[in-house]
Amino acid sequence: GDAERLTRFDACIDADGRIEPRDWMPEAYRKTLLRQISQHAHSEVVGMLPEGNWISRAPSLKRKAILLAKVQDEGGHGLYLYSAAETLGTSRDQMVEALHAGKAKYSSIFNYPTLTWADVGVIGWLVDGAAIMNQVPICRCSYGPYARAMIRICKEESFHQRQGFESLMTLMAGTPAQREMVQDAVNRWWWPVLAMFGPPDADSPNSAQGMRWGIKRISNDDLRQKFIDATVPQAKVLGVTLPDPDLKWNEARGHHDYGAIDWDDFWNVVSGNGPCNKERLATRVKAHEDGAWVREAALAHARKQQQRTLK
Ligand code: FAQ
């Protein structure tokens, strides 16, 4: 019965085993995974928009080719993640519909504007940097399809992070105006990037159960701290200042101390009132509607092929 299946499930989790789509799982485990994986997929897809705005304005053919590849990668990540989420019994159409209706969440970070070319480099360096920090532990997630999808995604994110850093190094070796542009972008992105890791552990309702189930391996605050510690020396190499007067090494803790994050701003953005929430959703819905003819044509083609093979 159910009690026996639950015991088997718990034993698998305790032994750090993997749960696969056909295995029995508690409804709450399925629901939590579906929530997280679909939010993650939506983030990848909406995440194409802020940088996508710069494809036609990239400063050289080389930068344009790199940016096009990066934005296509994000689209690919969204597709693997929707597929992983579909193994839990909800269709991609249902998930996309929830996003377009404003019912599903996606990462807060993609609701801020990309004002200059330096923003594209800073997104690569900091946003992809934060994404990798959060996603590497998910390669060990207890749900097999999610863990496996994350391996390739992390490899690609790592390339994205490096291209961002390299692009910023180039700008920093340029004119004073270019260096100022980088510093301005860092000033605007730093705090929203720290909030990407989610609310402090004490205010994170999903953390305890997520950790118990082996979905989450490292807490929001611990990942945020690891990210800050890794980023400070990179900022030094780059020659930019991180906009936090309280940021300093704490010898006793063996970590950097940092200033207070504006959680009111974070919740405001998460609840749909950030600077670009409406624009992002409207762009996404329009792209989906404009693509209706492609879906119809692909379906018609598939039907024709099927009829031909039946004959
Ligand atoms: N934005 O109890 P917790 C990328 C929500 S990287 C919006 O701590 P949990 C790559 C949370 O959903 C970005 N909402 O929740 C890229 C929950 O609400 P709910 C995507 C947030 O799940 C780079 C509530 O707050 N990465 O796309 C955020 O245990 C460059 C309470 O929070 C992932 O999704 C936020 N930042 O921990 C693409 C990684 N934080 O659902 C293009 C996978 C929290 O109960 C360009 N996800 N909330 O209504 C995770 O690791 C986790 O879901 C966390 C949140 C850590 C995000």
Side-chain angles (χ1 to χ4, degrees), residues 100 281-291:
H100 292 179
L281 212 53
T283 308
R284 204 46 249 145
V285 169
K286 182 174 186 306
H288 189 74
E289 285 167 358
D290 289 351

Side-chain angles (χ1 to χ4, degrees), residues 156-293:
E156 293 179 351
E157 299 289 24
S158 165
F159 154 69
H160 296 169
Q161 198 264 354
R162 277 151 190 268
Q163 69 78 34
F165 191 77
E166 195 268 341
S167 163
L168 295 177
M169 285 293 275
T170 305
L171 286 171
M172 290 304 284
T175 64
Q178 286 174 313
R179 284 193 286 278
E180 265 167 47
M181 189 166 80
V182 174
Q183 183 62 58
D184 169 66
V186 170
N187 292 349
R188 285 181 288 106
W189 288 92
W190 177 248
W191 291 104
V193 164
L194 295 189
M196 270 176 82
F197 293 93
D201 295 345
D203 306 319
S204 163
N206 302 305
S207 274
Q209 190 57 261
M211 297 282 246
R212 169 69 188 88
W213 277 329
I215 295 171
K216 234 172 164 162
R217 299 290 185 173
I218 306 181
S219 83
N220 296 1
D221 284 328
D222 288 351
L223 284 172
R224 188 166 15 247
Q225 182 72 65
K226 272 166 75 90
F227 172 76
I228 293 169
D229 291 342
T231 307
V232 167
Q234 295 171 10
K236 212 166 173 188
V237 170
L238 206 51
V240 296
T241 308
L242 297 173
D244 177 0
D246 298 322
L247 186 63
K248 59 171 183 298
W249 179 250
N250 181 326
E251 190 63 50
R253 287 204 310 125
H255 291 293
H256 292 84
D257 289 337
Y258 56 95
I261 295 170
D262 184 350
W263 291 111
D264 288 342
D265 178 63
F266 170 78
W267 289 117
N268 189 48
V269 172
V270 171
S271 60
N273 302 311
C276 301
N277 295 59
K278 288 184 183 67
E279 181 189 329
R280 297 286 183 251
L281 212 53
T283 308
R284 204 46 249 145
V285 169
K286 182 174 186 306
H288 189 74
E289 285 167 358
D290 289 351
W293 69 272

Side-chain angles (χ1 to χ4, degrees), residues 35-37 39-48 51 70 74 77 105-110 123-124 127-128 130-131 134-135 138 146 150 157 160 192 195-200 203-207 210 216 220 223 266-267 270:
R35 175 185 66 80
Q36 178 167 328
I37 304 172
Q39 284 177 3
H40 194 165
H42 298 328
S43 302
E44 299 282 357
V45 170
V46 177
M48 297 166 82
E51 290 168 284
K70 178 184 191 295
E74 312 296 0
H77 298 172
K105 286 193 171 73
Y106 58 87
S107 182
S108 51
I109 197 68
F110 303 117
I123 288 178
V127 176
D128 285 278
N134 162 276
Q135 286 170 183
I138 306 176
Y146 192 26
M150 212 45 62
E157 299 289 24
H160 296 169
M196 270 176 82
F197 293 93
D203 306 319
S204 163
N206 302 305
S207 274
K216 234 172 164 162
N220 296 1
L223 284 172
F266 170 78
W267 289 117
V270 171

Side-chain angles (χ1 to χ4, degrees), residues 97-152:
E97 212 173 281
L99 173 70
H100 292 179
K103 287 185 204 146
K105 286 193 171 73
Y106 58 87
S107 182
S108 51
I109 197 68
F110 303 117
N111 293 304
Y112 294 88
T114 39
L115 302 180
T116 71
W117 171 249
D119 289 49
V120 172
V122 169
I123 288 178
W125 176 40
L126 296 179
V127 176
D128 285 278
I132 297 166
M133 199 54 96
N134 162 276
Q135 286 170 183
V136 165
I138 306 176
C139 297
R140 293 184 290 116
C141 170
S142 60
Y143 190 57
Y146 192 26
R148 287 189 291 273
M150 212 45 62
I151 293 170
R152 175 162 175 182

